[in-house]
Amino acid sequence: METFLIKALQLILSLSILVIVHEFGHYIFARMFKIRVEKFYLFFDAGFALFRYKPKNSHTEYGVGWLPLGGYVKIAGMIDESMDKEQMAQPPQPWEFRSKPAGQRLMVMVAGVLFNLLLAFFIYSMVLFTWNDTYLPLKNVSQGMEFSQAAHRAGFQDGDILLRADNKELDRFGVRTLLDVADAEKVTVLRDGQEVKLTMQEGLMENLLKDKEGFAAYRVPAVVYETMEGSAAQRAGLVAGDSIVGVNGIATPAFSDLREVLDNSRNQQITLDYYRNGSLQSAAVGVDSAGTLGFYAMGVYQVYQTVTLKYGFFESFPAGIRLGIQTLKDYVAQFKYVFTKAGASSLGGFGAIGNLFPAQWNWQAFWMMTAFLSVILAFMNILPIPALDGGHVMFLIYEVITRRKPNEKFMEYAQVAGMILLLGLVLYANGMDVVRAIFK
């Protein structure tokens, strides 16, 4: 329950920041062009609001709604989700959105997306400035990677060290690495000390989405970090730094190998082979009923040599912008898979987004995820779908090109259709969360 609450709190805080910044973009540009903003709300106030405040001599009511599905600004004289037909039936006023030149209206609509991108750039910059950029070069992962079944079918073997996708060097493991591998004709790996070229077949990404097992994970040796008080590992004399390499004569080069052997040796006495200061030693150890010895293993960043890139305050801004742009490019490159059967089944709603946050509060992880979600929100909002900013932009571009406004009735119908489509997508995505929660 505690984990759920921590993730839920991070999700609500993150989305609240993103919504306020996005809507503030619309708000500030509307005010710049002397367009009245009648409401500025975090969350939706269908029926009632948790909080509302209207300053004296102001046309804007500020508030917090009860339905945490986003937020909105109600701009006078604009066909939006409020569907205020009564206002639109009145003669246009000079302070209304519809009375302003198309160029100004276009800037008002693009402002929300622009502010989300600027927010992402700023957050990435401050994260790099505060925590630096520490990563693990793939060439330093001497044990290579452990691959999923779909990756095995594509020709990868556990222990392969990823080197190149076509002629592009694979430096660090992440989304960009996976996209490079999926798009490559040949991937070069280091296998048993020899470079091997694997010919990639089409459909790797679809198979990964279908299997839902991911692509690969770091292969880490079993090195003792700390033994538990009174555990079998402590009684056997294991100490921090001991590298376990075998059980009963069976080689266990990686922690996953050790875990598998121990799981098959529950409640049994085993002989453990390990290296201490370069010397091979053995010890008799009892495996408990859970298949464990009672020690904490070193993590991947403790075992392998990492690289840290440090940024000064002013250096962090171009680096943060580059990171934001690369994140946007990677997300756009992945977006095409949403339209595949496997991609559609992988869609998730608020539950899936919440699970992206760590189980323990970590400010660096929180801000990195918030920046990532800000990039996603910017991209999704600029899609040319009525009811989204991109839908309004599409109609405004049409107006600029043809020099005539679309019919207001048509705009209303398009807005309704867009809202129905978005509601359907929200219900589907969150429904998939429920299905996955029930059937695991």
Side-chain angles (χ1 to χ4, degrees):
M1 186 63 179
E2 180 183 357
T3 297
F4 171 80
L5 291 176
I6 291 174
K7 289 188 174 187
L9 181 59
Q10 291 179 88
L11 175 64
I12 293 172
L13 177 59
S14 179
L15 292 182
S16 297
I17 293 170
L18 299 183
V19 169
I20 290 172
V21 170
H22 179 92
E23 300 303 335
F24 181 74
H26 294 309
Y27 171 86
I28 196 66
F29 269 72
R31 298 303 299 129
M32 281 172 54
F33 299 127
K34 303 187 184 307
I35 302 171
R36 285 187 186 176
V37 179
E38 298 175 350
K39 284 188 173 184
F40 188 137
Y41 265 71
L42 173 64
F43 306 151
F44 291 103
D45 59 329
F48 68 95
L50 300 178
F51 167 81
R52 56 164 49 100
Y53 170 68
K54 189 173 183 179
K56 187 177 181 181
N57 300 323
S58 172
H59 297 289
T60 307
E61 176 182 290
Y62 303 90
V64 178
W66 63 272
L67 186 61
L69 295 179
Y72 71 99
V73 288
K74 186 178 185 302
I75 298 175
M78 176 181 168
I79 299 174
D80 58 11
E81 59 270 14
S82 68
M83 299 303 292
D84 190 348
K85 296 182 180 180
E86 182 178 340
Q87 183 184 72
M88 298 304 294
Q90 302 299 317
Q93 301 298 320
W95 36 261
E96 288 187 333
F97 179 81
R98 56 181 166 169
S99 300
K100 300 299 179 178
Q104 292 184 5
R105 285 180 280 133
L106 183 60
M107 292 178 69
V108 170
M109 296 316 306
V110 171
V113 169
L114 175 64
F115 271 50
N116 277 131
L117 287 177
L118 292 176
L119 175 65
F121 295 158
F122 178 75
I123 292 176
Y124 280 135
S125 299
M126 291 300 94
V127 168
L128 293 176
F129 171 67
T130 305
W131 289 284
N132 303 313
D133 178 16
T134 298
Y135 72 98
L136 175 59
L138 284 169
K139 64 183 180 182
N140 290 358
V141 186
S142 57
Q143 291 270 7
M145 311 293 288
E146 292 180 348
F147 295 91
S148 65
Q149 291 301 311
H152 281 150
R153 294 194 297 270
F156 294 96
Q157 294 182 13
D158 290 343
D160 285 350
I161 300 175
L162 297 168
L163 297 179
R164 293 182 297 278
D166 290 330
N167 295 320
K168 182 178 181 180
E169 182 179 353
L170 300 176
D171 184 37
R172 62 172 83 189
F173 189 63
V175 173
R176 174 39 50 191
T177 302
L178 175 56
L179 293 172
D180 287 338
V181 168
D183 293 337
E185 293 183 3
K186 291 186 180 297
V187 174
T188 304
V189 301
L190 189 64
R191 180 180 295 169
D192 299 326
Q194 301 292 323
E195 288 195 6
V196 178
K197 288 185 180 292
L198 306 177
T199 301
M200 295 291 98
Q201 304 294 325
E202 291 186 10
L204 173 60
M205 188 68 79
E206 288 86 342
N207 290 333
L208 293 173
L209 290 171
K210 181 179 179 181
D211 289 358
K212 295 180 174 61
E213 294 179 354
F215 172 59
Y218 295 113
R219 189 170 171 83
V220 186
V223 181
V224 177
Y225 175 71
E226 183 182 14
T227 58
M228 300 177 188
E229 188 68 30
S231 67
Q234 188 182 64
R235 292 193 299 272
L238 293 179
V239 297
D242 288 347
S243 181
I244 301 171
V245 295
V247 175
N248 294 336
I250 301 174
T252 57
F255 184 80
S256 56
D257 300 319
L258 174 65
R259 185 170 53 204
E260 182 179 352
V261 174
L262 293 179
D263 193 53
N264 294 325
S265 305
R266 299 187 183 198
N267 299 315
Q268 297 180 28
Q269 196 79 2
I270 62 170
T271 299
L272 206 64
D273 299 324
Y274 60 94
Y275 278 97
R276 177 180 294 173
N277 299 324
S279 175
L280 182 63
Q281 302 186 32
S282 297
V285 187
V287 183
D288 64 19
S289 59
T292 64
L293 301 177
F295 72 91
Y296 297 105
M298 289 188 181
V300 61
Y301 289 97
Q302 295 168 306
V303 173
Y304 298 121
Q305 183 66 44
T306 60
V307 171
T308 298
L309 303 177
K310 296 184 178 181
Y311 296 93
F313 181 75
F314 294 106
E315 293 174 316
S316 68
F317 287 99
I321 292 171
R322 287 194 298 271
L323 179 55
I325 292 174
Q326 187 61 59
T327 302
L328 177 60
K329 288 181 178 178
D330 291 346
Y331 186 77
V332 173
Q334 297 175 75
F335 191 70
K336 62 184 178 182
Y337 297 108
V338 172
F339 301 100
T340 65
K341 183 178 179 181
S345 66
S346 300
L347 285 176
F350 293 110
I353 298 173
N355 280 327
L356 295 175
F357 289 93
Q360 300 296 325
W361 196 283
N362 181 300
W363 280 112
Q364 182 181 6
F366 170 81
W367 287 117
M368 285 295 288
M369 185 53 58
T370 299
F372 176 63
L373 293 177
S374 194
V375 170
I376 293 177
L377 182 60
F379 173 71
M380 296 300 293
N381 257 288
I382 205 63
L383 292 176
I385 300 174
L388 292 178
D389 294 344
H392 292 285
V393 169
M394 176 178 63
F395 291 127
L396 283 167
I397 291 175
Y398 166 83
E399 181 181 339
V400 169
I401 294 174
T402 64
R403 298 185 181 278
R404 61 179 181 181
K405 291 184 178 181
N407 181 274
E408 286 193 1
K409 279 294 181 184
F410 171 78
M411 294 280 287
E412 289 178 7
Y413 294 144
Q415 185 77 12
V416 171
M419 290 172 64
I420 292 173
L421 173 62
L422 293 178
L423 179 60
L425 288 173
V426 169
L427 291 175
Y428 173 80
N430 286 281
M432 291 300 296
D433 284 346
V434 174
V435 170
R436 281 190 284 267
I438 294 175
F439 297 102
K440 303 296 182 182

